[in-house]
Amino acid sequence: MAAPFCFGVKQRKRFRFFGLLIAHKLFDLLVMHLGSMEEKSFCAWSRTVEECLEEYDVSLEKGLNLQEVEKRRQRYGWNELQKESGKTLWKLFLEQFADRLVHILLGAALISFILAYLDKNEIGEGGMTAYVEPLVILLILMLNASVGVWQETNAEKALEALKEMQSEQAKVLRDGSIIPHIPARELVPGDIVELGVGDKVPADMRIASLKTSTLRMEQSSLTGESNPVTKSTKKVLMDDCELQAKNCMVFAGTTVVNGCCTCIVVSIGMSTEVGQIQVQIQEAALEDDDTPLKKKLHEFGESLTKGIGFVCLLVWIISYKNFLSWDVVDGWPKNIRFSFGKCTYYIKVAVALAVAAIPEGLPAVITTCLALGTRKMARMNAIVRKLPSVETLGCTTVICSDKTGTLTTNQMSVTQFVTLGHTVSSIQEFHVEGTTYNPTDGSIPDWPEHMNANLETLAEIAAICNDAGISCQGHQFHATGMPTEAALKVFVEKMGISGSKATSARNNGNHIANYTIENGMVKLVYCDQLIEKLKRLALLEFDRIRKSMGVIVRDLSGQNRLLVKGAVENVLERSAFLQLADGTIVEVDDASRELLLMKLHQMSSKALRCLGLAYKEDLGQFNDYDGENHPAHMKLLDPANYPQIENNLIFSGLIGLRDSPREEVHEAIKDCREAGIQVMVITGDNKFTAEAICRDIGIFYEGENLNGKSFTGKEFMELPLIKCREVLAKPGGRVFSRAEPRHKQDIVRMLKETGQVVAMTGDGVNDAPALKLADIGISMGIAGTEVAKEASDMVLADDNFSTIVAAVSEGRSIYNNMKAFIRYMISSNMGEVASIFITAALGMPDGLIPVQLLWVNLVTDGPPATALGFNPSDIDIMQKPPRKSNDALISTWVFFRYLVIGVYVGCATVGIFAVWFTRDSFLGIDLSADGHTLVTFSQLTSWGECSSWEGFRVSPFSAGGRIFSFDSNPCDYFSHGKAKATTLSLSVLVAIELFNSLNALSEDNSLLSMPPWINPWLMLAMSVSFGLHALIVYVPFLANVFGTVPLSFNEWCLVIVVSFPVILVDEVLKLIGRRMSRGHQKYKTV
């Protein structure tokens, strides 16, 4: 019968993923045959309102009736995101045992249980002593499994956060009546929903009619667009278009910033864009790969398993004569004799060998080191949610960054403004500092002590032709209303306040922005002064045709004025006059118009969003307008009259705004380049803005040709797969604009397939699937959505891109330190294996038992290994390229070094065991004080034949207050009587491993150049480990469990003398290694 074909963990994950995709496609086909494909294929954005109403069989006047609602609910289900059934705790617990090394330990525990049950003669008085070894093994395995379950159950919360995005209530028209508060989960396709300012959209909907002249939506968390998007009822001409181009659609989870509308529900629940993101998150989770370190440890486990099997087999072959013998008669074996007792003994030796070879404490030490690393990173504002991410950071080769809110502040700010000077041919130009809504963030350099008439007018228009405000929560400032208008309010405040304090501050080169906070809202002093001077009487709302907004105001003298702001070209076209710096009004001529348009072009080329500001004093029939009762008020009710009212304007200036790059990003990009890390920007914003920002922050050089380096998401995905990989493989920066969530995922997936270790940064819902798929997902802590945070591996508490660079540096340092303690633990285990192998090869009694080896591996080795995680990092750690994910954890030379160390450890532990039995002194140290009986080395190595020795007698001896007597059976001297020799052997093993931890301070440098005190934690850990060892030697209960006895001063001296040379041996090997390295470097140079 053919052996079953077995898949590894990674293959199983891929097959599950592809299985899910196949099942999903089959389900789609089934749905099509059942007749439900029509709804899926109906592109509401490319159909007129009438076609949509006909498709969903509904009218705007009555909505759906209750009967139809129930029918559709049966067909479409509830408007909610589905939660995938998670794994049970029991299944998660069992999955933690899916590891080759764990399987070996489980086998060792099972064999120990069987032998303990069969070998009743060796069970102690309590009846449980023989079961200590398997119980300890199982306890450790269960503890490690519990930690794994705890980590996994705390990691999967992204889908719950997505559910919180959904609106809880909706205003719905049914049976001709408005229901103001219906649970959003009860919506069905075809429902008529009304939206107003501040409402969260409950489902994906087609806009049917506008109740205001404009409708603006904040959808940056879904699409990555930095500014609110203006919506309309007009259909889109393409069925297959980007999410950002669907201007007649509103999407679940987005918010109404300005305006009111009536909509038709077209998609609910999992069919919405947010629902599709949930599916993508689930698919990305199935593709989740192991971290580079986990892969290395898995490979190491596979190699170690083969090595353990080989060594156990070799020990068995060497030892078979001790439990199996026969006579040869006429060339054929006769009288075959088999000793079951001795056979089980050598099975115990094999179990001990398996326990010795596996570094049981390694998972715990790695977890501890990573946890300590997370604490250090938290102090650097990098909050690590998943421990393996700490190590993954160290080998990151590509950072795929979102733009909005990651490289930029996600806060609009005025960066430049222009007015005319004292003549029509001169320009006044000012640059504004600061990138946030904090009024004290930056100032206006070279600001005059007293504002001229033109600047005062500019301030009035910006402050009063404005419906926004600034709120403050803690130390974070946020826009309420349109971000652009909020930025104008902050800009006006920076223009200054009147009074001697401000004048004095300006004379000293400083600038003061005065504000207070009341009920979470920022009270801007200068803006409030202007608002008090000019009372708003009427609002001329923004619309897409004239692209401007106006307000009619009355000043303290009772004169009415019209203040206007909007697109520069439109405002300038309707302007007949210009205001100069001193307030003089002059007519617009071609030269002055060209001058202003040239300046507009220069500012636009820097990706600035430009606004023109103008006013009008002669309002005609509105000169005495005072409110709704005025005869001209009817004219204000029809937006078609606004262009006529906003004509013959006086142009005051133009202002440039943008979502500015974070100040520290430029330096961080430079650090990434020096560290060999490629930075790619993937954003939902438009191509022109994305390229300009990338030039600003140093991803591209000024004037660099971006052909083949800048693509929209759609352009890139239309390229052949080979071409896509070629684009990604080339060095240097890349920018992908107008990217949808699936584009981000595909780019990350392609990078991973080419062997790159990908870190993905983002803050929006649209970033969540890519964050989940990346090797390490990094979200923003302040501006980031909860969905992005829960899908990520690391959260930046300060939203600072440079924190990523610092975290990468720390990740590299942690990896180097982990390599140090992994080398230390592996070399220690090699010594234990060598000890057991030499013992078995010589035929001596076993000097170390499994429970002692477990204690050494888990407890005694643990503190020094953990302390090695505190080794200081190299100074040039960020000037080196990232390590490759397939770099060997242990090189051939390092493996040879630790093989030599392992042989020394084996010889030392076996040697001191033999010395106690065969010598009364060693190196001048007396060992005869306890009165034990000496035997020859030949007797020691053939102790199994003790019962056949004639006249063999053993004298009683004392150890730690205990008297060991062997009158009934002298051969027990080699089993129960070996307690002192075993303790010496165990103590030498512990001491050598503590000295060996000093060797692990550096892979190549001598202890003379890197003395032990550079890591004081290691010195402390060595003391702790030695103290723990003393516990099992001197505490009676523990000594009984571990089979040890107290040692005398002379015996401790012998332990130190035998153990210390391990430092000298490794120093010689390091010297040879340094010379080999220098020779190899010279050869490469030649």
Side-chain angles (χ1 to χ4, degrees), residues 88-105:
T88 62
L89 285 177
W90 180 243
K91 187 174 181 182
L92 282 175
F93 185 79
L94 290 178
E95 283 184 356
Q96 307 307 312
F97 293 87
D99 182 86
R100 190 61 56 85
L101 299 183
V102 173
H103 292 164
I104 294 173
L105 283 175

Side-chain angles (χ1 to χ4, degrees), residues 550-594:
V551 290
I552 298 174
V553 298
R554 176 171 292 177
D555 61 23
L556 296 177
S557 66
Q559 181 181 353
N560 285 0
R561 280 195 288 168
L562 173 66
L563 309 181
V564 177
K565 76 172 192 298
V568 177
E569 298 96 327
N570 296 61
V571 174
L572 189 58
E573 185 181 346
R574 297 199 302 273
S575 296
F577 306 95
L578 300 172
Q579 184 186 39
L580 303 182
D582 58 1
T584 304
I585 307 300
V586 297
E587 288 189 7
V588 176
D589 57 17
D590 291 340
S592 58
R593 190 186 301 274
E594 286 301 317

